[in-house]
Amino acid sequence: MNAQTYTEGLAELRTLRDDVKKTAAALARLEAQRDKTVMALAAHDKAKAERIAPAAGLSIAAVVALAPQLAPQDMDITAPTPAAAERTPPAAQPATPAPDTPTPAPLQRPTDPATPRELPTLPQDTDTGRWFTPTSGLASQYPNFTQNAHPTVFLDAATGVLVHRDQTLRLDLGDRSAAAILTAVFHTVPHTIQRIYITAGAPWHRDADRYPYLRDAVAAWLNAPTPGWRVDTGRGRDRMAGHFVHARNPVARYQRENGDHHVEIRSTGEWFDLDATDTPGIVRDAFRLLWEELRRHFPDAVVLGSPSQTGRDLWTRTIPRRGKHADGFPVLSEELRGLLHATAGQGRNELLTPPRIPQQLPALIEYDRTFAYAKHTWKSPVGTPRRVTGQTFASWSAKEQHDALYGCGHWHIRVTVPDGWNHVGLLPAPAPGERAWHYPASPGATFTTWAGGPEVHTALTNPLQPWKVEILDGILWEAGKPLDEWSKKLKETWTNLSAQAHFQGNPQQARAAHLASRAVRSILLYGIGSFAQRPRMVTGTTPRAMERDVPPDAEIVGFDDELITWQKPTGFARDPNAHPEWAAAIWSSARAALLTQYHRDEDTYAGALHTPPGTVVAFRTDALYLTQSQNWPYRHRPGDYLLKGHLSGPVNAPTSEEELLTLRDTGRQNLNSTPEEA
């Protein structure tokens, strides 16, 4: 690029900036007019939220937030605001993980909201026994079938390059609709193909400029006509049916109208991030290496459609067939699963802003915990839990209390930040919004929350100043190792592939090995997330002319001139591998390790609490952003803090997630980091 082109590009960018501002202003005016109209309609004596919601393109909760008098009698009126209930514009939407995976929450400002959401508690009546009784006839057991592989092709939807086994072909994809892709692929490859991985081109975004939100564009692409095909309804043991609407990594599932041929179109973005030089051939080699290395440790390993599916399938093949757990691992009651879903957060995502940090930072340094969750799978809760009331806990000896908090528990607590505290918050507290958390740190602040044993133990024994924590109630399990063998095998697979990426002389094979190692990370990370088993969401469509037929508890996620696309929760499935207690324990341990982590070999500690006050800028799942360098040990082991980025100051303190990510990317480029180590 020459200087003239660069200057012209800047001019074009300024024009686009102004257009974006105008569009945003127009959108804000339209939304304000919509909200005003909703409130006006709510004054009608026969107004109903379930009628107004589809007409406005909002969820019922968003309508009720504008007009609380419309709340159904059985609805909690502490609904999210309309802005929170709506979709995120593409320009502000960060990269998102794969379907069936844990979703990182946006960075939360460390503020003290006036009305935090209220967390559920254990019942105080005779229902307690039912809550603590496992679901009847449901337990995780070793599978009695062999998993079948799905023949797969890899397609660059931008160039039309397709790789099938060792063949590389170029297809004419026409308008890149699902129908055009299916037609082009099956005119070229055998009809036994069951999976089409898109490596580049994101065809579901082809009409993104016609829609205000990416999700709308994706829904329209998925729901477009596909002559000769219909939406898959599932088969046999494969209960995955219907399309999965996701802004970045959707899944399209089809079945021949006159046959039993099933095929899915999905994104490799579920597994790893690709760059412009990653051809479908390199991606094919990455999946081949992944399968070969998994087979060394899991003899019957099959790479399924997503990392979460693959992770859980591999785990089931490590379930003991003899010994204490030969009858399987019981599944908690639906009540306890619901409580854990509402009270056990995922990764810590928090941005600290001035005056808690300087307006001008001397530097911004990123430390990322390598393969972090693999560090915390050696101990997990097993069996039927028991309730520990606050009164019972108070009656125990100091050793019994220590053992309980160091064990496998989930605790309802009242927390007080000690006087004189001048560092980051230690325990999550509920904030307004669905599954939103913040971390109070103001001296004297008191709040009630739920937290895992590792975090409670850290708050009581942290190296700076113990916090006051009162146990109100709790759930305590026996400690076991249900994930240990699975995790060890995945760690060995990751280590082998990482070594290949480092020592492989062929650049393309080295890149394939690196991608395969990242896929192993995804298998473990998203496999753990899948144990959490969130309530199922069903996606459907209703003709615009029949909008009153939209289910009353559905959220509108997209609409055009013909169809309204909606989704609604349908409760928990009877999933024999639902273990939110395992995911909650690992997430709690990982959040605690961001604060303090002991390195036995070096007899030293790492983590946020081992930095000077005012030097922590942000937490982002497994990463810490600091203003000072740290001499923390790094031995390429899971959980170690890797120096990932370094940006010399002065640096303006970021005030939003977008600003932080921009600084992060610049810091990584400046450090010239080697992603193969991460």
Side-chain angles (χ1 to χ4, degrees), residues 373-397:
Y373 285 3
K375 173 80 171 179
H376 306 295
T377 53
W378 64 276
K379 180 180 70 173
S380 302
V382 294
T384 301
R386 60 189 173 112
R387 182 176 189 174
V388 178
T389 64
Q391 184 178 4
T392 299
F393 186 87
S395 70
W396 285 351
S397 67

Side-chain angles (χ1 to χ4, degrees), residues 279-499:
T279 65
I282 290 177
V283 177
R284 182 268 323 274
D285 290 345
F287 275 95
R288 181 180 291 172
L289 281 172
L290 172 65
W291 176 76
E292 290 173 351
E293 285 299 325
L294 286 174
R295 282 270 169 156
R296 297 178 188 273
H297 304 286
F298 302 90
D300 49 358
V302 171
V303 178
L304 300 179
S306 71
S308 58
Q309 291 173 288
T310 305
R312 287 221 298 184
D313 182 70
L314 293 176
W315 172 74
T316 62
R317 297 171 195 281
T318 65
I319 296 175
R321 285 181 280 185
R322 294 188 297 272
K324 185 175 181 179
H325 299 291
D327 293 334
F329 297 100
V331 173
L332 298 177
S333 68
E334 186 165 331
E335 289 81 1
L336 277 191
R337 279 181 278 156
L339 184 142
L340 284 167
H341 170 70
T343 62
Q346 301 178 24
R348 178 170 182 169
N349 289 274
E350 180 185 22
L351 177 65
L352 286 82
T353 55
R356 294 187 63 184
I357 61 173
Q359 191 73 46
Q360 289 279 312
L361 308 181
L364 185 65
I365 301 160
E366 177 189 11
Y367 288 94
D368 188 52
R369 296 186 66 226
T370 297
F371 205 13
Y373 285 3
K375 173 80 171 179
H376 306 295
T377 53
W378 64 276
K379 180 180 70 173
S380 302
V382 294
T384 301
R386 60 189 173 112
R387 182 176 189 174
V388 178
T389 64
Q391 184 178 4
T392 299
F393 186 87
S395 70
W396 285 351
S397 67
K399 183 181 186 306
E400 288 173 320
Q401 291 181 354
H402 173 275
D403 291 347
L405 293 177
Y406 193 73
C408 296
H410 191 59
W411 302 97
H412 190 206
I413 54 179
R414 183 180 293 114
V415 183
T416 301
V417 182
D419 293 338
W421 184 260
N422 65 347
H423 218 295
V424 299
L426 304 187
L427 289 164
E434 175 68 15
R435 294 183 63 79
W437 302 89
H438 70 138
Y439 293 80
S442 301
T446 298
F447 57 95
T448 301
T449 189
W450 284 84
E455 291 168 286
V456 177
H457 187 268
T458 296
L460 292 170
T461 63
N462 76 83
L464 301 180
Q465 187 179 2
W467 282 30
K468 181 181 178 181
V469 178
E470 178 188 356
I471 302 296
L472 304 177
D473 219 332
I475 309 166
L476 190 61
W477 288 265
E478 174 189 352
K481 295 182 177 292
L483 304 176
D484 195 44
E485 181 184 354
W486 173 71
S487 177
K488 284 179 178 177
K489 289 181 175 182
L490 289 177
K491 283 185 281 190
E492 290 170 0
T493 303
W494 172 78
T495 299
N496 293 342
L497 288 167
S498 297

Side-chain angles (χ1 to χ4, degrees), residues 25-46:
L27 179 60
R29 287 194 296 271
L30 289 172
E31 289 176 340
Q33 181 62 39
R34 177 202 61 196
D35 295 348
K36 183 178 180 181
T37 303
V38 167
M39 289 185 284
L41 291 173
H44 183 51
D45 57 357
K46 294 185 179 180

Side-chain angles (χ1 to χ4, degrees), residues 88-372:
T88 304
Q93 190 163 23
T96 49
D100 309 322
T101 66
T103 304
L107 290 170
Q108 300 295 322
R109 289 286 190 86
T111 58
D112 294 328
T115 54
R117 75 186 189 283
E118 186 174 344
L119 297 179
T121 61
L122 292 171
Q124 303 301 317
D125 52 29
T126 55
D127 281 346
T128 299
R130 178 166 58 86
W131 280 53
F132 284 80
T133 301
T135 302
S136 177
L138 206 59
S140 303
Q141 296 179 317
Y142 193 94
N144 59 2
F145 65 93
T146 300
Q147 189 67 258
N148 293 322
H150 288 194
T152 301
V153 296
F154 302 89
L155 175 65
D156 183 330
T159 64
V161 172
L162 178 137
V163 170
H164 172 230
R165 296 185 176 176
D166 293 326
Q167 289 183 298
T168 300
L169 309 163
R170 187 176 293 272
L171 310 182
D172 179 1
L173 300 180
D175 61 0
R176 297 197 302 153
S177 64
I181 289 174
L182 292 170
T183 299
V185 168
F186 289 108
H187 276 171
T188 309
V189 301
H191 284 199
T192 54
I193 296 301
Q194 295 179 323
R195 184 177 299 131
I196 302 170
Y197 271 128
I198 304 298
T199 65
W204 36 81
H205 293 163
R206 63 175 188 150
D207 293 328
D209 58 342
R210 294 175 50 195
Y211 297 88
Y213 305 105
L214 276 182
R215 194 181 180 99
D216 288 355
V218 171
W221 188 87
L222 291 171
N223 292 315
T226 49
W229 300 85
R230 57 184 172 86
V231 179
D232 201 345
T233 56
R235 65 202 185 278
R237 293 187 182 89
D238 186 357
R239 293 175 298 171
M240 304 299 288
H243 301 320
F244 184 90
V245 182
H246 189 280
R248 304 286 176 177
N249 298 312
V251 181
R253 301 184 179 100
Y254 300 100
Q255 180 179 351
R256 289 276 188 189
E257 286 186 345
N258 299 313
D260 195 38
H261 181 202
H262 303 257
V263 64
E264 59 184 13
I265 303 174
R266 57 197 315 155
S267 170
T268 54
E270 299 179 62
W271 293 87
F272 34 58
D273 293 327
L274 300 177
D275 59 35
T277 64
D278 291 323
T279 65
I282 290 177
V283 177
R284 182 268 323 274
D285 290 345
F287 275 95
R288 181 180 291 172
L289 281 172
L290 172 65
W291 176 76
E292 290 173 351
E293 285 299 325
L294 286 174
R295 282 270 169 156
R296 297 178 188 273
H297 304 286
F298 302 90
D300 49 358
V302 171
V303 178
L304 300 179
S306 71
S308 58
Q309 291 173 288
T310 305
R312 287 221 298 184
D313 182 70
L314 293 176
W315 172 74
T316 62
R317 297 171 195 281
T318 65
I319 296 175
R321 285 181 280 185
R322 294 188 297 272
K324 185 175 181 179
H325 299 291
D327 293 334
F329 297 100
V331 173
L332 298 177
S333 68
E334 186 165 331
E335 289 81 1
L336 277 191
R337 279 181 278 156
L339 184 142
L340 284 167
H341 170 70
T343 62
Q346 301 178 24
R348 178 170 182 169
N349 289 274
E350 180 185 22
L351 177 65
L352 286 82
T353 55
R356 294 187 63 184
I357 61 173
Q359 191 73 46
Q360 289 279 312
L361 308 181
L364 185 65
I365 301 160
E366 177 189 11
Y367 288 94
D368 188 52
R369 296 186 66 226
T370 297
F371 205 13

